[in-house]
Amino acid sequence: MPSNIPTSGGQRTSGARTRNASGRSSSSLGSFSSRAPKNMTIRGVHTRRKRSFLILAGSIIAAIIVLSALLWWINRPVTVTIDGEETQVRVGSTLDEVFDAKKIEVRPGDYVSVSDNVIKAGMGRRFSATLNGKKLSAKKSDELRIKGGENLEFGNGDNVTEDFTYESEPIIPYLRMEGTGYTLQYISQWGYAGELQHRVGKDSGHKADVVVKEATDCVITCIDPYIDGDKKLVALTFDDGPSSYTDEYLQILEKYGVKATFFNLGDNVLQYPDVAKRVVEAGHQLCNHTMAHNQLTAVEGGVVYNEITRSAAVIEEATGILTTHLRPPYGDFTEQSWLGSGGSVTASIRWTGDSQDWALPGVDAMVSNALLYLHSGSIILMHDGGGDRSQDVEALPKLIEQVQSEGYEFVTIADLMRAQGNIPEDICSGTGTMPKDAVWPNEVAPEDLVATQQDD
């Protein structure tokens, strides 16, 4: 029976279904409830679009606010002091911008030749500037950006020099002697070359010699050691060894616990290499006394250099010790001797107490002579070579006992120099050598030379 025929009650069944065009059945009630009204759909779309628009508009407004704040911050005014008066300028301004904005009036520099002749007036730097009391270089002036709080002063512009070609020439340092001491002379400053440029201007063709780097002079400091403090220090030294007597000296020094300094001749080290080595092994300082005891003030510079360097090489070969400490024969070592040394010496050591043992005056006289000017910082001269040293061997214990009884401590020359407290360690130890980039002088400073001539 067809489903749309009424029942006996005259009503359709509540579960009635219809077929759609595709032949599928569906509940008429269900179809009605699942379909939204058309005007409701349009109203939802409009709501979503309006919400999106408001979000976009808000974002744009926020971005504008942030950008405006950022632009203000980037271009904010800050306070600076210009030529003594406070004013405001834009942060990050260049000095050129400040100069123009404040209408500052100064005279510009000129465009000049290498010889400082004006090529074009007013074509140099527009102004010069001082920041917080310090004048700015052209480069720093161009790089400066205002932050706020600066104290600026503007002045007349600097000249600008034309471009040029040049050839360089080294400026050799002078030798300078500082101090009035006699006993100890040491290198307190190595010399370094300067630079002189021979310039030719590209526009003017002018020529000029310009020092672009000053030379650093080599400085020899001259002192007479006086050691302050609780300890009383004395240096005991022996010249002209090694010899057949030297081992006896070593035994005496060991007995009394004394460290000494031996100034050896290269010729004698060649003859007694094992003795020289024993001096070092016993803990004593071994230094240079030249090769053959030539008087260095009586020979040319080349001989001075050879006397020192040959002996140093012999000592190093025999003992492994590099030494740049020198006792000049007869104590003679002048400015010219320093020049002749060629940087092979870092310290020249003389003495304050001379035993005069070379004259064989007798044991008591030797001791008395050696201790005549005894003080903390004294350097005593004796010999362990160069002749008959039997009186020295007898005098040495007496000298040591007397000095020790007066509260003095025997030290090496290196330790005596250390006790000065202001001498570089490599100079004190005698192991210092001339730096590779240093330059040795070939002239005494003119004012020192004049002073020396006046003393003569």
Side-chain angles (χ1 to χ4, degrees):
M1 178 183 293
S3 60
N4 58 351
I5 297 176
T7 62
S8 58
Q11 296 181 342
R12 296 181 181 273
T13 60
S14 60
R17 293 180 177 271
T18 61
R19 291 187 180 271
N20 57 24
S22 62
R24 294 180 181 175
S25 63
S26 61
S27 169
S28 58
L29 181 59
S31 175
F32 175 79
S33 62
S34 64
R35 199 165 46 241
K38 184 176 182 180
N39 61 343
M40 184 182 295
T41 302
I42 293 173
R43 195 161 46 246
V45 171
H46 286 175
T47 300
R48 287 195 299 272
R49 287 179 178 176
K50 184 176 181 180
R51 186 181 299 113
S52 298
F53 174 78
L54 291 175
I55 292 172
L56 177 61
S59 299
I60 293 172
I61 292 170
I64 291 172
I65 293 172
V66 171
L67 181 59
S68 298
L70 180 61
L71 289 173
W72 178 88
W73 178 255
I74 292 174
N75 295 279
R76 72 190 184 280
V78 292
T79 300
V80 297
T81 301
I82 298 178
D83 296 333
E85 295 184 4
E86 285 192 354
T87 186
Q88 288 193 326
V89 298
R90 180 178 59 82
V91 70
S93 297
T94 65
L95 286 188
D96 274 311
E97 291 170 339
V98 172
F99 184 81
D100 291 335
K102 298 303 176 181
K103 297 181 172 56
I104 295 170
E105 295 184 3
V106 293
R107 183 177 61 79
D110 299 323
Y111 180 61
V112 299
S113 69
V114 292
S115 56
D116 281 337
N117 292 317
V118 177
I119 299 175
K120 292 182 180 179
M123 295 302 291
R125 299 282 299 180
R126 299 174 65 199
F127 56 83
S128 61
T130 299
L131 173 64
N132 300 329
K134 183 177 181 180
K135 185 175 180 179
L136 297 173
S137 65
K139 181 180 180 182
K140 289 186 176 180
S141 180
D142 291 339
E143 293 175 347
L144 183 67
R145 299 295 181 269
I146 297 298
K147 297 179 180 178
E150 292 89 348
N151 188 347
L152 296 168
E153 292 182 4
F154 287 91
N156 293 335
D158 295 322
N159 293 339
V160 172
T161 303
E162 65 178 324
D163 289 338
F164 53 85
T165 59
Y166 68 90
E167 292 182 358
S168 287
E169 177 183 338
I171 302 173
I172 305 302
Y174 285 120
L175 180 76
R176 294 187 180 277
M177 309 292 285
E178 293 186 352
T180 58
Y182 172 83
T183 310
L184 177 61
Q185 299 178 342
Y186 64 92
I187 295 177
S188 55
Q189 171 64 62
W190 293 98
Y192 295 90
E195 182 184 358
L196 175 67
Q197 289 185 354
H198 303 288
R199 296 178 176 179
V200 179
K202 288 186 176 181
D203 289 340
S204 68
H206 293 179
K207 296 180 180 180
D209 291 338
V210 179
V211 175
V212 295
K213 181 183 178 183
E214 296 284 353
T216 300
D217 290 337
C218 178
V219 178
I220 310 297
T221 296
C222 310
I223 64 172
D224 292 316
Y226 282 88
I227 311 300
D228 295 326
D230 296 335
K231 289 187 176 181
K232 298 163 65 176
L233 307 180
V234 173
L236 180 59
T237 67
F238 304 101
D239 285 8
D240 293 353
S243 73
S244 58
Y245 291 94
T246 303
D247 279 327
E248 292 184 75
Y249 286 66
L250 294 177
Q251 292 171 12
I252 295 169
L253 295 173
E254 183 179 10
K255 176 182 176 180
Y256 289 95
V258 170
K259 298 302 179 186
T261 302
F262 290 78
F263 291 93
N264 281 184
L265 292 169
D267 282 346
N268 287 356
V269 173
L270 288 176
Q271 187 176 357
Y272 298 99
D274 291 341
V275 178
K277 191 172 183 180
R278 284 196 288 273
V279 168
V280 173
E281 290 172 345
H284 303 291
Q285 185 179 357
L286 184 61
C287 301
N288 197 344
H289 195 40
T290 73
M291 192 69 189
H293 210 275
N294 282 319
Q295 186 170 354
L296 301 180
T297 55
V299 295
E300 296 180 351
V303 177
V304 173
Y305 183 78
N306 286 334
E307 276 285 303
I308 295 168
T309 55
R310 285 173 56 213
S311 179
V314 168
I315 290 172
E316 187 173 10
E317 176 68 22
T319 67
I321 295 297
L322 168 68
T323 178
T324 52
H325 280 180
L326 174 73
R327 165 143 310 149
Y330 314 105
D332 288 345
F333 207 68
T334 64
E335 290 92 336
Q336 294 300 320
S337 305
W338 273 105
L339 290 179
S341 71
S344 61
V345 175
T346 59
S348 170
I349 298 100
R350 295 186 175 97
W351 54 86
T352 58
D354 183 357
S355 66
Q356 298 184 23
D357 54 355
W358 52 271
L360 301 177
V363 171
D364 291 338
M366 281 186 187
V367 175
S368 178
N369 291 337
L371 304 184
L372 186 60
Y373 303 105
L374 185 65
H375 62 270
S376 184
S378 287
I379 300 175
I380 297 172
L381 170 63
M382 298 182 74
H383 294 76
D384 67 323
D388 180 2
R389 295 302 167 212
S390 56
Q391 288 187 11
D392 292 80
V393 172
E394 186 178 349
L396 184 56
K398 293 185 177 182
L399 185 151
I400 292 173
E401 288 173 1
Q402 184 170 334
V403 172
Q404 289 181 335
S405 70
E406 296 183 29
Y408 287 92
E409 176 186 352
F410 285 101
V411 294
T412 63
I413 290 295
D415 284 336
L416 193 72
M417 292 175 68
R418 289 186 182 103
Q420 288 293 124
N422 58 355
I423 304 177
E425 171 57 28
D426 64 333
I427 305 298
C428 291
S429 66
T431 59
T433 56
M434 187 169 71
K436 291 182 179 180
D437 56 340
V439 174
W440 191 250
N442 52 31
E443 292 184 66
V444 177
E447 57 269 33
D448 286 5
L449 189 60
V450 170
T452 301
Q453 291 170 347
Q454 289 175 345
D455 291 342
D456 294 341

